[in-house]
Amino acid sequence: EVQKHSVHTLVFRSLKRTHDMFVADNAKPIPLDDESHKVKMAVKLRTEYGSVLHMPTLKENMREKGGPATGDPYGHKQYSGNQGQELEYMITGTHPYPSGPGVALTADTKIQRMPSESAAQSLAVALPASQTRLDANRTAAGVGEIYRHAGISERSQPPGMSVAMMEAGGNKNSALVAKKAPTMPKPQWHPPWKLYRVISGHLGWVRCIAVEPGNQWFVTGSADRTIKIWDLASGKLKLSLTGHISTVRGVIVSARSPYLFSCGEDKQVKCWDLEYNKVIRHYHGHLSAVYGLDLHPTIDVLVTCSRDSTARIWDVRTKASVHTLSGHTNAVATVKCQAAEPQIITGSHDTTIRLWDLVAGKTRVTLTNHKKSVRAVILHPRHYTFASGSPDNIKQWKFPDGNFIQNLSGHNAIINTLAVNSDGVLVSGADNGTMHLWDWRTGYNFQRVHAAVQPGSLDSESGIFACVFDQSESRLLTAEADKTIKVYKEDDTA
């Protein structure tokens, strides 16, 4: 009676037998078969050196093979200055003068004469098509095709070793195989950023930050319901503004007038006159918390975005609501303006980004690539492009139609804020207190920062809610959950 084994056992027995059979010559190299080696080398020659095989070879090799005639693939007659001596090398090319550094034209260099018209044509016919094209692009014979006379320093290695190089064209620039384009473009080098100042004074999370156009001071809004103005150079508190009755979620300073605009979770949008430090206008209309605001760079309009799923456009002077931009199906977290089309960009918790027509008050394009809430949008100061931040990815887009450029992956956290400067440094700040710095063009993440929280704060309180570069772009300010503002600068010693 045959004992039935499981498949598993049978397989392992078979493996063991095989192992026992071959274990004796386990590590021995396989003997080289001459025939197959020749075939392999012939194939290799044809594929890798096919484009240069028609080039002339060393004269010494030809002498062994019997007669100079065998070496010239075009059948040209060889001329030499002194017929009595043996030629060391043949120099060919459609032009008698070397095109680069090289050989003085004396009798010793033994070059060919200028070929006649018919000879030149026959030469072109003899070459493969691609080579003919290459030669058409060259004005004269390349340095690689000019084989120098024996005895100069480049002939330090024995002739046998240099054959391959001679066949390959003699210079490193003649690529034998088409080079593959590099998969990732080389990122520009940026110096790392280091923390050099921590400013404290707020009694709640610092939710928003803005630098004034003159670069003298900056302003922050906080969960302690106050707006504070700080001296940029010294980090000293200059002024506190009270008036909001809930968290201040957005601040911006106008470049066109001495006004500061703020918005908050109390549904209010306020305009502060900085000469009197008083609120001079309120913009009423939002039905829920106002999460962000931005000023148009060239016309006097203010755009705000809210948890009520709309963005509103206000006339700064008359306080009138010009348009209500409706279309998002969830809270609108961020809004940005620019002078070019599209003039308004919004990012929302419904995972979409919308580009708006300011005149018609309608959506031009809806971008649906993100899978999670879009809490941050930033426009590049020089290029006609922008980036959006979401927990799944940071994405770059091209205006005006929002064509996708690339993903910046790796910041695996809820991204609250983005900032970019003219050098192409993109900063992303996240809920877990991490900050990543990227090269804008290539999307290369060149630095990651996780600043320590203030003494006495919990580690969980290390979120970055907003970040911005100052006007000189040499300082980076971040507004954080540990109630501080942190200032970074480039490390000069790097």
Side-chain angles (χ1 to χ4, degrees):
E1 188 177 314
V2 179
Q3 185 185 355
K4 286 183 180 168
H5 289 291
S6 68
V7 176
H8 190 263
T9 313
L10 293 170
V11 166
F12 271 93
R13 280 192 180 171
S14 168
L15 274 175
K16 189 175 181 311
R17 284 190 198 122
T18 312
H19 177 264
D20 292 343
M21 187 183 296
F22 292 112
V23 78
D25 53 1
N26 179 18
K28 284 185 187 162
I30 299 166
L32 195 66
D33 176 38
D34 286 345
E35 195 58 40
S36 57
H37 182 67
K38 274 184 195 158
V39 171
K40 177 184 154 187
M41 292 318 282
V43 170
K44 196 166 180 173
L45 257 172
R46 195 168 67 247
T47 53
E48 292 193 18
Y49 302 106
S51 56
V52 289
L53 277 178
H54 65 277
M55 287 178 152
T57 50
L58 280 170
K59 185 71 177 166
E60 293 149 4
N61 290 14
M62 283 181 237
R63 215 178 306 143
E64 293 161 17
K65 288 174 189 160
T70 54
D72 191 312
Y74 316 126
H76 295 331
K77 193 177 173 193
Q78 297 294 323
Y79 297 95
S80 75
N82 358 359
Q83 293 283 355
Q85 293 179 3
E86 274 292 353
L87 267 143
E88 184 71 55
Y89 298 107
M90 293 186 307
I91 297 175
T92 73
T94 53
H95 199 292
Y97 304 107
S99 63
V103 198
L105 291 176
T106 61
D108 296 339
T109 48
K110 304 163 186 159
I111 59 162
Q112 282 176 226
R113 302 223 179 106
M114 184 68 121
S116 62
E117 282 297 312
S118 58
Q121 278 168 358
S122 69
L123 182 136
V125 172
L127 296 180
S130 61
Q131 193 62 32
T132 321
R133 259 205 310 280
L134 279 173
D135 282 353
N137 293 341
R138 271 196 215 117
T139 50
V143 181
E145 291 140 340
I146 297 167
Y147 297 141
R148 313 279 170 76
H149 192 252
I152 53 172
S153 58
E154 279 153 4
R155 280 291 317 281
S156 52
Q157 74 255 71
M161 280 172 65
S162 55
V163 175
M165 191 174 146
M166 290 299 180
E167 285 182 353
N171 71 336
K172 291 192 179 101
N173 295 345
S174 62
L176 306 179
V177 185
K179 270 190 191 155
K180 263 201 299 195
T183 46
M184 183 181 167
K186 193 170 181 219
Q188 185 191 338
W189 184 83
H190 302 286
W193 291 72
K194 63 178 182 185
L195 178 67
Y196 89 106
R197 178 175 288 157
V198 178
I199 302 169
S200 50
H202 276 295
L203 303 175
W205 289 356
V206 189
R207 295 300 308 235
C208 50
I209 190 163
V211 181
E212 64 99 16
N215 214 34
Q216 299 297 310
W217 46 268
F218 67 96
V219 54
T220 56
S222 162
D224 63 9
R225 309 190 295 271
T226 65
I227 297 165
K228 289 186 187 286
I229 293 176
W230 312 82
D231 186 54
L232 185 62
S234 65
K236 299 268 192 321
L237 179 64
K238 288 166 74 103
L239 185 66
S240 285
L241 301 172
T242 54
H244 279 283
I245 54 171
S246 188
T247 303
V248 182
R249 289 294 292 264
V251 286
I252 188 163
V253 188
S254 171
R256 296 166 59 83
S257 51
Y259 296 151
L260 161 69
F261 296 87
S262 65
C263 64
E265 290 179 8
D266 50 11
K267 312 178 197 173
Q268 296 186 37
V269 182
K270 294 176 186 283
C271 171
W272 305 76
D273 187 322
L274 294 173
E275 289 173 357
Y276 300 100
N277 300 331
K278 285 196 176 80
V279 178
I280 55 165
R281 297 191 187 99
H282 282 99
Y283 301 89
H284 292 290
H286 279 297
L287 308 174
S288 190
V290 187
Y291 282 166
L293 77 176
D294 200 14
L295 283 164
H296 195 286
T298 54
I299 50 179
D300 281 327
V301 298
L302 170 71
V303 189
T304 56
C305 62
S306 163
R307 200 173 72 191
D308 62 14
S309 311
T310 66
R312 281 175 182 260
I313 299 170
W314 313 88
D315 185 314
V316 168
R317 290 197 203 85
T318 64
K319 303 184 285 189
S321 177
V322 183
H323 286 303
T324 301
L325 306 177
S326 51
H328 283 294
T329 57
N330 205 328
V332 186
T334 178
V335 64
K336 283 283 179 276
C337 290
Q338 64 174 356
E341 290 295 324
Q343 295 181 41
I344 294 170
I345 301 100
T346 56
S348 162
H349 286 285
D350 65 8
T351 76
T352 65
I353 300 160
R354 283 176 184 254
L355 313 180
W356 301 85
D357 184 329
L358 175 62
V359 181
K362 293 196 170 70
T363 305
R364 287 176 51 141
V365 186
T366 306
L367 307 174
T368 57
N369 301 37
H370 280 293
K371 297 185 178 60
K372 295 187 177 171
S373 307
V374 180
R375 290 165 202 254
V377 165
I378 189 72
L379 279 53
H380 194 286
R382 294 204 185 141
H383 305 169
Y384 198 35
T385 55
F386 73 105
S388 58
S390 163
D392 57 356
N393 267 319
I394 299 167
K395 294 181 189 289
Q396 286 179 349
W397 315 85
K398 206 183 277 155
F399 286 129
D401 301 320
N403 300 330
F404 175 73
I405 301 173
Q406 65 179 348
N407 268 330
L408 278 59
S409 314
H411 202 167
N412 302 320
I414 296 168
I415 292 170
N416 286 323
T417 176
L418 295 171
V420 65
N421 67 11
S422 307
D423 278 349
V425 176
L426 173 69
V427 180
S428 55
D431 240 15
N432 59 4
T434 58
M435 193 165 71
H436 284 203
L437 290 95
W438 315 78
D439 178 51
W440 178 275
R441 189 175 57 86
T442 58
Y444 173 70
N445 178 206
F446 69 90
Q447 192 184 0
R448 300 181 176 194
V449 180
H450 193 174
V453 294
Q454 277 297 90
S457 298
L458 303 170
D459 278 345
S460 55
E461 281 196 311
S462 63
I464 298 173
F465 292 118
C467 64
V468 66
F469 286 99
D470 74 344
Q471 305 298 340
S472 70
E473 301 186 332
S474 62
R475 298 287 178 269
L476 171 66
L477 304 123
T478 62
E480 309 211 359
D482 62 357
K483 306 173 190 168
T484 65
I485 300 120
K486 295 191 172 77
V487 188
Y488 294 84
K489 65 176 180 181
E490 289 182 341
D491 190 350
D492 302 331
T493 59

